[in-house]
Every structure is written in structure tokens, then in C-alpha cells.
Amino acid sequence: MALLEVKNLQARVEEKDILRGLNLTVNPGEVHAIMGPNGSGKSTLSYVLAGKSDYEVTGGSATLEGEDLLELEPDERAARGLFLAFQYPIEIPGVASMTFLRTAVNAVRKKRGDEELSTPDFLRLVREKAKELNIDQNMLKRPVNVGFSGGEKKRNEILQMAMLEPKMCVLDETDSGLDIDALKIVADGVNRLRAKNRGFLVITHYQRLLDHIVPDVVHVMAKGKIVRTGGPELAHELEAKGYAAYDNAA
Amino acid sequence: MNAEVKMMRTAAEAAYADALTALPAPEAIRSLREKALRLFAEKGLPHRRVEEWKYTDLRALIREMPPLAKGADGAAIAEAKKNSVLTNIGAREITFVNGAFVAELSNLKGLEKGLSITTLADALAKDASLVTLLAKINPNKYDAVFALNTAALNEGILIEVAPGAQITQPIHVRHIVTGTSPVSVFGRAVVKVGAKAQATLVQSHVGPDTVAYQTNTVLQLSVADDAELDVVRVQAEGDKAIHLSMMIGAIGNESRFRSFALTTGGAASRHTVPFAYAGRNARATIAGATLLRGKQHADTTLEIDHAMPGGESRELYKTVLDDEANGVFQGLIIVRPDAQKTDGRMMSAALLLGDNAEMDNKPELEIFADDVQCAHGATTGALDDDLLFYLRARGIPKKEAESLLIQSFFGEAVETIENAKIRDAVMNLAGGWLAARS
Amino acid sequence: MPAVQETVDRVKSIDVDQYKYGFETKIESDRAPKGLDESTVRFISAKKGEPEWMLEWRLEAFRRWKTMSEPNWARVKVNPIDYQDLYYYSAPKTTAGPKSLAEVDPELLKTYAKLGISLHEQEILAGVDPAGRTKVAVDAVFDSVSVVTTFQEELKKAGVIFGSISEAIKNHPELVKKYLGSVVPVTDNFFATLNSAVFSDGSFVYIPKGVRCPMELSTYFRINERNTGQFERTLIIADEGAYVSYLEGCTAPMRDENQLHAAVVELVALEGAEIKYSTVQNWYPGDAQGKGGIYNFVTKRGDCRGNNSKISWTQVETGSAITWKYPSCILRGDNSQGEFYSIAISNGHQQVDSGTKMIHLGKNTSSRIISKGIAAGVSQNTYRGLVSAHRKATNARNFTNCDSLLIGDKCGAHTTPYIEAKNSSAVFEHEATTSKISEDMLFYCRSRGLSGEEAVALVVNGFVKDVLQHLPMEFAVEAQKLIAISLEGSVG
């Protein structure tokens, strides 16, 4: 069975149609990339999949392992294994990153019917994963994303991904605002999480991220639809030719 | 504990009631006057136990009422001619001397297309329904200044800008008091800006030093949908004067409003601004600079009422207090339940130069809608010693260094004036105040 | 359903009937007849075996009170209170006082347990050796009379006097005469004057010169008797160079009728002394329709009487139908410091009008105000504060930060500060913001698996963190739970 199955998805924001019949299938173990010009609806797709409230689904369906995602609350989607790495991670003043992580991990475990992690187990796990991502322990004592650099924010997203053990990961422009070193660290973190039962949807404007996270399938999105699908070579073609050809597509 | 016990009428309250009752009233406004007088008789002058007047106790300030001014004779007009406040801004001037309209000092010729300027008396004669506009007395929100002003309605001006008209020449309404004996002066100006129209209004208040006269003026503004209005006000009354004033505003959908008030005059003054967002997505800036010395007292009270969604308000007041002066700033932002997406920001900053200067700040937020961004700030402090030292270390003499810092302090508020000529003229007036610092 | 909309709906469906601490303890009590006149005052004074001077003090207050009327300037709507329809005195029957914990009514001990008095404190009450832990002395005020006081011995060794004010009137009349009413005068305000006439009991603390109180002092208040107004009176004196941290927490059982609570707390800090006073207030807020709930009209004031003294108030206000309370500091001594840290949460039909007054009188005094208001349901939440520097209070400093958070569109959050600087050397900074709880933050939390309720609790706890960290450890944990509980009732 497909991991993520999106059929004829249509959605609107503030009365404006953004997704206009999008189809997408991600199988376990696959990494898909979605590329497209600004305004093509890439971020909208990620928010609709994660369940942001001001995005209204007007048609179509999205399922995770056959279960209807669109009927679920955002936290239920997270518990089922959907993870969105935000393009702009939100700052939460006053809440330590560590507290946030533990609350999230245990909330998700509880919903999955697993036992909550004991404090020592949790700390061990965080330390291990943080080390892999080159995250300083001190950063975890600071409030969630507050005063973090662009790179720190994105690494924090990947840390959350690693801790929550999702099945389907959606990375929304994870490369934006990153220099090449930070990009490598983030990409390494993602690559480490690649597994045969896990799927990835990497949304990006530029091809450079895909040099580091090599996709199995590349889609081109324009005007709210997938307009072309191909292999990794498609990304290079786009890098060379730009999106001009797709501005009037669809 | 504020038991509403009505005290005995004070001498001033009795004098007001008598003088205004005796004033001849045109038919059109007779019942309005009676209503205002009844209200005044009932509530009287506000005192410190009335919350909105906590810091400006009119009952204590106004012990007696000087006789009503008798208009402008030749000598008064001659004296008024010497007045030069904001005369170099290229404005069309409309002049009131001792409360009376003086045609000789007013320019009603060659009005731009869409601009109409009429004395209130003429306007009422033409259209009696104007009374309802003049009579916006709300007994639940009693304001003594408005009640007295309404009871004294006699002279005034109506300025109307037709829909779509762009009036580029500023209109300057001047209120001048003359003479050597104390008088009571009232004035009313009504400005209506039609949809998509644009205008600039200047209002100035001046009078002689050493004379304990009293003035009470009300400016009523309405700005229709998509219209734009700028208002600049200069209060430079004589040093013994008591100045009471209001600017009552209502702005429509998508409108734009800017106002600035320079306050340097009077022994005691109070400027009240009830300002209503009557339409959606309206934007307003309400700014001011107050420069006081000696034992001057000046109170600015704003009530910014966001009744409609999407409004944006910016209030910025700078107060500089030398000697034993007392500055008061009360600023209330109300966001009513329907006024979602309101963005309101208010700042009142005071610079205390005199050891015994006093600043009373009361910024308030009253929020009944949730999707809002509102903030206020208030600061009080002396000149920054480090900055002063830095300037002096660069060879700038102390007084000059102080002037520079003070000027940059209030300059931020003056900068909100769009019209460059007016902005320069106001900056000059403020500079004059600085130069006179001992 | 959109995440925030759901939160709002859940807040709307607040079920405060689930009030965790709503239960009654059946203990026989001994009380004065309903109503208030001079004879009631005499009855209370006689019941407590007070000396003549105390009775006179009460009677004078009562006579003044009759000439006063209720204050009406706060932004709260109060149903008329019939002062003749209340009981003014109620005491457990065993007024002789237990000689040991074994003599304490088991019902009472059960009450402590249900109240959620920490295990730690229960151990103390049960006589378990609290080895290796911070010590907390509990003077439990059950209804109106202190029935249990622990750790008297250890405190006595340090010279600390900690007990009920009734005992202090008998045993330390010179201290009571000197300080009672010296911070909150008998005629201060309607409710303080009423309290002065009829106060039933409360805590008394005296820390002698140079003594750092060896443990945190703690009192739990609890209204238990139906229709009994609670008139606590607390007096804390820190003599020169002394230090004390005092914790006050309250819960109350469910009621239909409104109950009046008009306490007075007076703090006196002499030269170089420091008093830290922390409160967690969780009285019954009323039911979902706004019926019942405590009227909490409290006068709390601290006097930094000596130079270099410091008074710090920290409060977590989550309960009561109406809260009217302004813990204040009179900064009389030179270089004295005042602090006010406050979290006020209102939900359902609650009304809060709370804040502080910082009165700068001495030279080089400083004060700091951090207030966090959270309004949900159809509640109204007002911060009201005064900062003033008098002519001679040179170099006064104040920093104020008031933030309000709105959850749902039926509530109101208001900010009314009065800032009065009467000399040029004062430096005052005030900032205030009001905004709604961020949808982005809630969505971010939920996309990481937190339920709507958990997300709100997390974000709100972050919002109030600056204040929470000023609470003593034991209290901070309790307060955090309380915040979650207050919003838990609200978020389904």
C-alpha cells in the first residue's frame, strides 16, 4: 500500500484557490522532491497535509497508509506518523526546547499506545540525536527557536523529526536561509533518517538541496498541480533552464 | 471611594450658567442650548474625583468666569493683525478675534473647487439640520467642555470639502484673543471631508500674556470613506490663560488621518480627543509635542475608539517639562468586540528638565476583541547624562547640547507632519521655546 | 475543525463544576449569629479572649465602616452584598487546640490531603522527619481559627515568632500594638476597615534582628463554613537585617452563594530586611453560568520602612469569581526595593481587577512590575497599577511590563496604569501589550503531537515564565499545575 496518497487535492486560502487537483503517491522508502516556482502552491501543500486551520480543502483526498488524513486534527496526524519540517519554525517564548521535545515525544508515544519515556531514557535519546545533528546541549535549554539562527532552527526541526520517529516526513523549503555548511548538516541528518519504511517529500525551490538529499522521484509543481514527473535528472534540467517553461503550464 | 455626591454649585459654575442663559440664542439652537445648560447644571465642572479629570481639576482651576468677550472692535483687530503665528505657511486664513469672525482677516475669496467655507450662523440659517451634528451630547459620557461650548454656541465656522476634491492649500483657522482684561471666549469649527477628498487643516490659538482669559474651542471632524485629512494644531495661548479644547473625530472606511498638536501656551490647558473609527481599515496618526515651563499645566487626553475592524492607530506624544511644569497624558485605546485585526500603538514619553517638574501618564488599553495587536508604552526620565557628556566632549556648550537633545526628543513627533512648510514652521515655534529657556 | 476555533470552543464549554477542590468537610463548628452590629464585634473579641484595647480597636473600625461605602472604581460587576446576611465568625468546636497531631481531627487531615497540600507538607503534618529537604512550616488556617501549628520549636530557637494573630495579641501585645494597622490604616478602604472590625484570625510573623528565617513559612487558607465571610488578618514584621519568605495558598469548596473574602495583609520591613511573599490563589470561581464563587477583596500592602529594605510580591491568581487586589509597596526607606510579579488567569465568568502600587518616597528607590494576564471564556481581566515618585524621592526607578493574552473572542483584557513622576530624576519605563494566543504557536505544537489543551497549557506557561521563576520551587511546580488545571477545565 502507498504510504502517502494524494488524489485530486484542491484547497484554498482566503477565498483563493491554490491547489487545483494535485496527485501524488509516495511509497515506503521513497524520497520525492517537489520543485516549482514561487507561488506554485508548494508550501500550501505542506500546510494542508499537516492540517493548518486557515487552509480549506475543497476537494480530493489525502491518505496516510490508507487512512484519511484530512479528517484528523494536526496532533492526530503527527501521532499517525506525519511530520512537517516548517519553512519558518515558530518561536515559542518561555518554553525550553527540551520541555517542548519531551512533551511532544510523550504526547505522540501516548497516542501510539507506547509507554512514555522515562526522564533518563529521554535525555539519553536527545543527547544522542542532538550530537548527530551537531546541536549544542545549551541550545536545548533555550526557549523553542527564540534567538536561534536560521541553521539552528532547521537543525532543531530535524532533531524533532528524529525524536518523533515519523513515517512520512514533509520538508518545506528546509534549505532556505542556510549556508552550505548548515545545509550539509541538515541533509546528513535527513539522510540518516532514510529507511525502508519511511517516506520523504522534500519541497524546494533550488536543486542544491537535492545534491545532498538525492531523491528517487522529482515532481514539478505549477499553479497548484504536478505538471511533470521524472528522475533526479529533472532537477538538474530545472536548475539549468529555470521555471519559465512552467509559468504558463497547467 | 467615589460617592457621587453633588456638591454645592461653585461661584464659577453659577456664573457660567447665568452668563450663558442670558446669551441671545438664534431659534435654531435654542433647545440645544437649554439641553446643554441643563446637563451642565446637573454635573457641573469636573473635579479630581471624576476619573477622566483626575489630573486636571477644573473645579479647582476655574474659580471664576471672566465676562463673555464682546467681539472684535478696531483696536482688537489691529492687535490681532500683529499676530504672526504660522502666517508663513501659505495657508488660507480664517480668523476669529475674541470669538468673533473677522472677515477682514479672513480669506474666503477664490475658494478651490469643492471647498466651501461658511460661518456657522449662515450655515444654520441655510440648513437647520446642522444642529444635530453640533449637538452630539452624550449624557453617559458627559464632558463639561463640550456642554459649555454647546451652551455658548454663537460663532463658528463650517468647512466642507466635496467628495473627490483635492484641496492643496492648507486652511488655517486662527483663534486670537486680545486686550488687557480677562474674557471668556468660545469657538466651534466643523470640518467635513467628503469621500475620496483630501485637505489640510491648521488651527492656532494665541492671546496676550498676563491676562487671565479663558478659551473653550471644539473642533469637530468627519472624514468620509477613502478620504484624507491632516490637522496641525498650535496652542500658544498667553501665560495666564486657561485653555480648554476638544478635537472630536470620526473617520470612515479606508480613510487616512494625521494630526499633530504643539502645546506651549496657557497657565493650564486641557485638550481632549474623542476619536472614533467609524469605518473599516481606517488609519490614523495622532501625535503631539508639549513644551512647558514655569508652573504651566497641560493635559492631553485621547480616547481612541476602534469600533470597526482593521483599524490602525499610532499615537506618539512627547512632553518636555522645565521648572515646575506639570504634564498630563491620558491615552485610552478601546477595541470593541467587532474591531478584529485592530493594530493600535501608543507611546507617551516625557523629558523632565526641572527638578520639580511632574509628569502624570495614564495610558490605557481596553480590549474586547481577540485578534488584535495593541501596545502602549510610557517613559519618564531626565536628559541622558552620557549623551550630554558625549556632546560636550566634542566641544558643544552645555545649553546647546541640551537643546540638541531636547530637539531630537520632540522632533520625532514633529516629523509626523506631512506638509514640509507647516512642519518647518512648527519646528521654528518649538525652537523659539527652546531658545527662551533660561 | 480549525485548531484555534476548537480551542475557543473548548474554552467556551468551560466546565468549572469540575473544580478540583470542590468538596466540603463535615466538622462541627461554633459560630456567631448572622449579621453585623457592635454586638457581633464584641462577640468575636470575647470568643477570642481579647484584651480591651483590641476590642476598642475593632469597635473604632466598625464605627468608621458604617460611614463608608463600597469602592466602585474597579472594572468589576459585583452583585449587591447583604452584609447583614453573612456570618462573621465560625470556629471549629475544639478551640482548646490540639496538644499533638494525634489529637487533630482526622477529617481535617483528610482535608489537607484533598487540598493537595504537598506530600512533603503532609509528612510534616504527620510528623515524618523531612530529612534532607527544604523545611516548610505550615500554619493551617481552617476556617477562621488556626488549629495546627508545626515547627514551633525550631522557629523558637531562631527567635522567630510564627503563629496565629490571636495568640500574638495575647502573647506579644507590644508588637501587635506597634505594627497592626500601621501599613493598612484602620480607615484605609471599605473592605480593610470591615476586616479591622471583624477579622477572625490569620498569621503573625516576627523575624528578629539579623535573623534569616530557617524555613519558608506557609499558610493554607480554606473557606469551609457555608456563608461565612472570611476575614483573615496577616501581619509580618522583618526586623533589621532579617529575611523571610512566606507562602500563602488558598482553595475553597464549591458553593452556590457568593462568599465574601476580605483579607488584610500587612508587611513591615525594617532597615536592611527583606520579605518575599508568594501567593497561589485558587478559590472557587463559580460555576459555568457564573453562579457562586468567591468575592476576593483583599488589601495587601508592604512598607519598606527602613533603608535598604526589600519587599517582593509574587502572585498566581487563578480562582475567585471576583478578584480585587493590589499588593503594594511603600518605598519609604532610602535605597529600598519593591517587586511585583503577577500571573492572573480568568476564565468562565471570572472578573479580575488586580495590580500593584509602587509608592516611591525615599531616595534611590527602585521597583519592578511584571504582570501577565490571561483572559479566556467570557471573563474580564484588568491590570490596574500605580507608580509614583514623590518630590523628594530622587533617583526613583521603575520598570513595568504588562502583557495580556486573549483566548477566545468573548473575553476582555484591560490595562490601566497610573504613572506619576513628581521630580526630574525619576526614570520610569512602562510597556504593555495585548494580543491573542498565537495560532501559529498552537499549530506548531499540535503538528508535533500535542493536543489542543496541551498546546494551550504549554504556550501559556511559556508566556508566564518570567513570573513563575520568581516563585519558590515548591510553589512553582504547584502553580504550573494550577495554570494547566485552570485551562484544563476550559479546554475539554
Side-chain angles (χ1 to χ4, degrees):
Chain A
M1 181 176 40
L3 181 58
L4 177 71
E5 179 104 64
V6 178
K7 280 188 189 155
N8 191 28
L9 189 61
Q10 297 153 52
R12 58 196 332 201
V13 186
E14 286 170 358
E15 314 282 297
K16 198 170 165 231
D17 291 319
I18 308 284
L19 299 186
R20 305 157 193 239
L22 187 132
N23 293 296
L24 180 70
T25 304
V26 180
N27 292 307
E30 290 178 355
V31 175
H32 288 231
I34 290 192
M35 303 184 71
N38 291 327
S40 57
K42 301 190 301 288
S43 286
T44 298
L45 173 63
S46 68
Y47 282 141
V48 168
L49 290 177
K52 199 167 199 285
S53 61
D54 24 357
Y55 290 73
E56 188 195 348
V57 175
T58 49
S61 68
T63 57
L64 187 69
E65 294 185 313
E67 185 175 10
D68 185 359
L69 269 183
L70 304 177
E71 282 301 305
L72 299 174
E73 292 294 329
D75 46 317
E76 291 166 336
R77 301 183 196 200
R80 300 294 199 282
L82 183 82
F83 184 93
L84 169 64
F86 283 55
Q87 182 180 5
Y88 304 109
I90 309 296
E91 302 181 1
I92 311 180
V95 178
S97 301
M98 196 66 109
T99 309
F100 178 72
L101 261 182
R102 189 165 55 210
T103 313
V105 166
N106 283 333
V108 165
R109 289 182 70 93
K110 217 159 62 186
K111 286 195 185 96
R112 289 178 188 162
D114 296 337
E115 263 187 45
E116 294 188 14
L117 282 183
S118 70
T119 305
D121 286 348
F122 171 78
L123 289 175
R124 205 172 302 127
L125 195 64
V126 174
R127 231 172 273 139
E128 187 186 303
K129 306 270 183 201
K131 204 173 155 202
E132 288 172 4
L133 285 158
N134 216 353
I135 288 176
D136 185 358
Q137 290 290 311
N138 283 325
M139 191 176 117
L140 298 175
K141 289 180 191 151
R142 281 151 55 194
V144 182
N145 294 324
V146 178
F148 285 21
S149 69
E152 285 175 326
K153 280 184 182 171
K154 294 297 165 73
R155 273 183 280 153
N156 194 28
E157 291 292 286
I158 307 303
L159 175 64
Q160 292 173 20
M161 185 193 286
M163 294 293 294
L164 292 176
E165 299 178 344
K167 290 176 184 147
M168 181 67 219
C169 305
V170 180
L171 280 71
D172 186 9
E173 310 244 357
T174 294
D175 51 331
S176 69
L178 294 188
D179 61 32
I180 190 69
D181 293 332
L183 185 72
K184 265 188 190 151
I185 294 173
V186 168
D188 286 350
V190 172
N191 287 330
R192 215 170 285 128
L193 291 171
R194 289 176 77 154
K196 69 172 191 296
N197 58 352
R198 186 171 283 154
F200 284 86
L201 186 60
V202 181
I203 294 172
T204 182
H205 186 78
Y206 302 102
Q207 177 264 335
R208 64 170 192 165
L209 178 66
L210 305 180
D211 286 343
H212 301 280
I213 305 172
V214 181
D216 302 305
V217 185
V218 174
H219 307 275
V220 181
M221 186 167 174
K223 307 227 166 132
K225 276 184 182 176
I226 300 292
V227 291
R228 204 176 147 197
T229 297
E233 73 290 349
L234 182 53
H236 291 279
E237 182 191 320
L238 285 168
E239 183 75 2
K241 296 189 184 163
Y243 292 111
Y246 300 99
D247 277 356
N248 299 315
Chain B
M1 244 32 62
N2 98 40
E4 274 294 326
V5 184
K6 175 71 181 103
M7 283 162 47
M8 293 259 297
R9 224 158 47 143
T10 65
E13 283 169 350
Y16 273 121
D18 292 349
L20 298 178
T21 309
L23 199 64
E27 181 61 34
I29 59 167
R30 195 165 296 155
S31 77
L32 179 59
R33 167 167 302 163
E34 282 163 10
K35 191 174 153 199
L37 279 170
R38 265 201 310 278
L39 196 62
F40 182 70
E42 196 184 307
K43 307 258 185 166
L45 289 169
H47 45 87
R48 64 188 174 81
R49 281 167 179 255
V50 174
E51 183 62 29
E52 292 83 357
W53 293 84
K54 184 178 164 63
Y55 296 109
T56 302
D57 185 334
L58 281 193
R59 195 177 275 173
L61 275 173
I62 301 179
R63 295 290 184 184
E64 52 193 39
M65 180 207 178
L68 280 170
K70 294 204 167 61
D73 55 15
I77 293 172
E79 190 183 333
K81 276 184 180 165
K82 288 188 215 141
N83 178 269
S84 64
V85 172
L86 299 178
T87 46
N88 55 349
I89 53 172
R92 173 186 297 283
E93 296 183 343
I94 294 156
T95 307
F96 290 84
V97 177
N98 299 329
F101 176 72
V102 178
E104 189 186 336
L105 295 177
S106 303
N107 176 11
L108 297 183
K109 293 191 197 83
L111 295 179
E112 288 161 87
K113 190 164 176 285
L115 175 63
S116 124
I117 302 177
T118 329
T119 62
L120 272 190
D122 289 350
L124 276 166
K126 237 188 285 170
D127 178 10
S129 72
L130 184 58
V131 170
T132 49
L133 177 71
L134 298 171
K136 288 209 165 142
I137 299 177
N138 175 359
N140 297 322
K141 192 84 190 177
Y142 169 74
D143 193 291
V145 176
F146 192 79
L148 283 175
N149 189 284
T150 304
L153 258 182
N154 195 8
E155 300 232 25
I157 198 86
L158 171 67
I159 300 171
E160 289 173 291
V161 181
Q166 309 291 310
I167 309 302
T168 47
Q169 186 184 22
I171 302 156
H172 182 181
V173 179
R174 307 197 299 162
H175 300 272
I176 303 172
V177 176
T178 64
T180 51
S181 54
V183 286
S184 290
V185 179
F186 293 88
R188 175 80 63 109
V190 178
V191 178
K192 296 163 82 173
V193 182
K196 295 190 162 66
Q198 188 265 322
T200 301
L201 178 77
V202 178
Q203 199 182 24
S204 65
H205 303 266
V206 293
D209 281 342
T210 73
V211 183
Y213 65 91
Q214 294 178 11
T215 62
N216 175 328
T217 51
V218 170
L219 170 63
Q220 283 177 284
L221 306 171
S222 69
V223 181
D225 295 355
D226 295 302
E228 192 171 344
L229 176 65
D230 285 80
V231 177
V232 174
R233 159 192 153 82
V234 169
Q235 191 271 85
E237 301 276 19
D239 62 8
K240 290 280 179 288
I242 292 177
H243 171 96
L244 304 172
S245 59
M246 294 180 92
M247 177 173 84
I248 304 171
I251 57 176
N253 292 315
E254 314 281 343
S255 60
R256 181 81 175 93
F257 177 79
R258 267 180 300 265
S259 78
F260 172 87
L262 177 71
T263 303
T264 58
S269 68
R270 156 80 168 225
H271 184 52
T272 311
V273 182
F275 194 82
Y277 283 69
R280 293 166 167 265
N281 304 326
R283 291 184 294 157
T285 302
I286 298 176
T290 300
L291 315 174
L292 306 176
R293 61 168 52 101
K295 288 178 186 275
Q296 279 182 292
H297 172 106
D299 174 336
T300 297
T301 295
L302 311 181
E303 189 183 299
I304 312 297
D305 189 345
H306 287 273
M308 297 291 277
E312 181 190 287
S313 70
R314 294 287 179 271
E315 295 81 33
L316 175 65
Y317 270 79
K318 296 287 181 113
T319 306
V320 179
L321 303 169
D322 211 342
D323 306 324
E324 295 168 50
N326 182 191
V328 177
F329 176 83
Q330 305 187 102
L332 169 62
I333 297 179
I334 305 171
V335 180
R336 301 203 182 268
D338 293 332
Q340 296 292 2
K341 305 271 182 210
T342 290
D343 177 350
R345 268 154 229 276
M346 178 180 284
M347 179 69 201
S348 162
L351 189 57
L352 274 53
L353 302 173
D355 288 346
N356 292 316
E358 172 172 346
M359 182 68 200
D360 299 307
N361 253 317
K362 188 186 162 202
E364 268 190 286
L365 295 171
E366 206 171 277
I367 316 278
F368 296 97
D370 68 330
D371 194 2
V372 299
Q373 285 291 340
C374 287
H376 69 219
T379 61
T380 309
L383 278 175
D384 186 328
D385 280 339
D386 294 340
L387 276 178
L388 210 50
F389 174 74
Y390 182 76
L391 291 175
R392 296 188 67 189
R394 294 289 170 272
I396 303 170
K398 181 165 185 255
K399 196 178 165 232
E400 217 175 302
E402 285 182 356
S403 292
L404 265 177
L405 292 179
I406 297 166
Q407 196 166 335
S408 72
F409 176 77
F410 65 67
E412 195 191 340
V414 179
E415 286 300 316
T416 62
I417 302 173
E418 283 272 303
N419 181 306
K421 264 191 181 165
I422 301 174
R423 185 170 64 231
D424 291 347
V426 167
M427 210 58 188
N428 272 339
L429 284 174
W433 183 89
L434 265 183
R437 254 191 99 214
S438 51
Chain C
M1 193 185 339
V4 168
Q5 186 52 46
E6 187 189 30
T7 304
V8 170
D9 290 345
R10 281 177 175 171
V11 171
K12 273 186 202 148
S13 71
I14 172 180
D15 188 2
V16 271
D17 291 335
Q18 291 170 358
Y19 182 68
K20 204 171 175 181
Y21 302 137
F23 58 88
E24 276 182 54
T25 310
K26 288 174 193 131
I27 293 183
E28 287 180 64
S29 67
D30 175 11
R31 64 189 186 189
K34 244 184 198 178
L36 180 55
D37 56 19
E38 276 205 18
S39 70
T40 323
V41 177
R42 287 176 192 281
F43 175 89
I44 294 168
S45 189
K47 267 281 172 200
K48 306 182 81 58
E50 286 176 355
E52 187 61 25
W53 61 265
M54 195 65 235
L55 173 63
E56 273 313 313
W57 198 86
R58 286 175 180 276
L59 287 172
E60 192 205 320
F62 177 70
R63 285 171 204 136
R64 280 304 291 258
W65 180 74
K66 282 197 295 186
T67 69
M68 298 168 88
S69 50
E70 291 167 307
N72 60 7
W73 40 261
R75 200 188 314 265
V76 293
K77 287 195 193 88
V78 186
N79 290 331
I81 299 169
D82 183 350
Y83 291 91
Q84 297 307 329
D85 195 37
L86 294 171
Y87 291 100
Y88 287 85
Y89 183 76
S90 150
K93 269 199 173 152
T94 53
T95 45
K99 289 181 188 64
S100 72
L101 282 171
E103 287 180 27
V104 174
D105 193 329
E107 282 282 322
L108 193 59
L109 292 174
K110 265 192 229 160
T111 304
Y112 291 142
K114 282 198 233 169
L115 270 171
I117 288 182
S118 74
L119 205 60
H120 176 194
E121 286 149 318
Q122 283 190 47
E123 281 173 0
I124 294 165
L125 285 171
V128 176
D129 181 22
R133 297 203 202 172
T134 322
K135 291 172 184 172
V136 178
V138 180
D139 173 26
V141 175
F142 188 78
D143 252 44
S144 311
V145 175
S146 296
V147 287
V148 169
T149 304
T150 55
F151 273 79
Q152 285 290 7
E153 283 308 310
E154 192 166 343
L155 290 170
K156 212 185 247 171
K157 253 189 270 166
V160 172
I161 304 168
F162 175 38
S164 75
I165 199 148
S166 310
E167 288 163 17
I169 289 165
K170 282 178 219 155
N171 303 333
H172 306 283
E174 70 298 341
L175 286 172
V176 176
K177 268 190 203 172
K178 184 169 175 186
Y179 292 108
L180 190 71
S182 75
V183 185
V184 178
V186 164
T187 55
D188 191 78
N189 69 71
F190 182 84
F191 297 112
T193 304
L194 175 62
N195 174 288
S196 299
V198 302
F199 73 84
S200 40
D201 215 332
S203 296
F204 176 85
V205 177
Y206 173 78
I207 316 289
K209 274 186 195 172
V211 171
R212 197 180 164 86
C213 187
M215 65 193 73
E216 310 220 296
L217 303 180
S218 163
T219 298
Y220 279 82
F221 293 98
R222 180 166 168 77
I223 295 179
N224 194 285
E225 191 65 25
R226 189 171 285 273
N227 273 342
T228 304
Q230 185 92 358
F231 302 97
E232 300 296 337
R233 185 92 194 185
T234 298
L235 175 60
I236 299 177
I237 304 137
D239 211 325
E240 293 174 16
Y243 168 85
V244 62
S245 168
Y246 188 90
L247 320 177
E248 170 203 45
C250 352
T251 57
M254 231 181 250
R255 293 291 181 199
D256 274 336
E257 303 95 318
N258 290 310
Q259 287 185 302
L260 177 63
H261 181 83
V264 172
V265 175
E266 295 179 277
L267 312 181
V268 181
L270 300 181
E271 189 164 340
E274 181 177 348
I275 301 174
K276 193 171 159 55
Y277 194 104
S278 312
T279 305
V280 170
Q281 187 268 114
N282 184 29
W283 302 97
Y284 177 52
D287 68 13
Q289 280 70 47
K291 198 168 167 240
I294 302 294
Y295 284 7
N296 195 20
F297 301 134
V298 185
T299 305
K300 287 182 167 177
R301 196 173 301 155
D303 189 354
C304 286
R305 208 164 279 183
N307 295 341
N308 304 307
S309 55
K310 180 176 177 184
I311 288 178
S312 176
W313 299 97
T314 305
Q315 62 174 26
V316 179
E317 303 283 321
T318 62
S320 296
I322 299 172
T323 300
W324 179 100
K325 139 180 212 196
Y326 316 90
S328 304
C329 296
I330 300 167
L331 303 167
R332 201 185 301 276
D334 292 349
N335 312 314
S336 59
Q337 296 175 51
E339 293 176 337
F340 175 74
Y341 300 104
S342 172
I343 297 168
I345 299 182
S346 57
N347 200 342
H349 289 261
Q350 284 178 279
Q351 304 175 71
V352 177
D353 195 296
S354 184
T356 184
K357 291 180 187 178
M358 293 290 172
I359 318 277
H360 294 255
L361 301 174
K363 298 186 188 353
N364 308 316
T365 51
S366 63
S367 61
R368 187 176 175 83
I369 298 170
I370 309 286
S371 166
K372 305 282 177 180
I374 297 116
V378 290
S379 69
Q380 297 295 325
N381 199 322
T382 301
Y383 168 83
R384 185 182 304 280
L386 167 68
V387 175
S388 81
H390 285 243
R391 287 251 177 277
K392 290 178 180 161
T394 48
N395 297 315
R397 296 286 179 271
N398 168 266
F399 174 77
T400 299
N401 172 267
C402 297
D403 293 325
S404 301
L405 193 66
L406 292 149
I407 302 176
D409 61 357
K410 296 287 182 287
C411 49
H414 319 297
T415 314
T416 304
Y418 299 79
I419 306 151
E420 304 172 0
K422 294 187 168 69
N423 75 73
S424 67
S425 60
V427 178
F428 288 173
E429 282 177 73
H430 168 100
E431 53 186 43
T433 65
T434 303
S435 52
K436 80 164 177 173
I437 192 163
S438 157
E439 290 185 38
D440 285 342
M441 281 189 218
L442 293 178
F443 174 64
Y444 189 62
C445 293
R446 296 200 68 187
S447 75
R448 296 296 176 260
L450 276 65
S451 68
E453 177 186 294
E454 287 166 330
V456 169
L458 192 86
V459 170
V460 170
N461 266 308
F463 175 72
V464 302
K465 184 172 176 262
D466 290 350
V467 174
L468 274 183
Q469 67 193 23
H470 289 279
L471 283 171
M473 260 314 235
E474 296 92 319
F475 252 28
V477 176
E478 189 170 332
Q480 234 165 332
K481 275 191 220 143
L482 200 54
I483 290 165
I485 289 171
S486 331
L487 296 163
E488 176 189 301
S490 63
V491 197

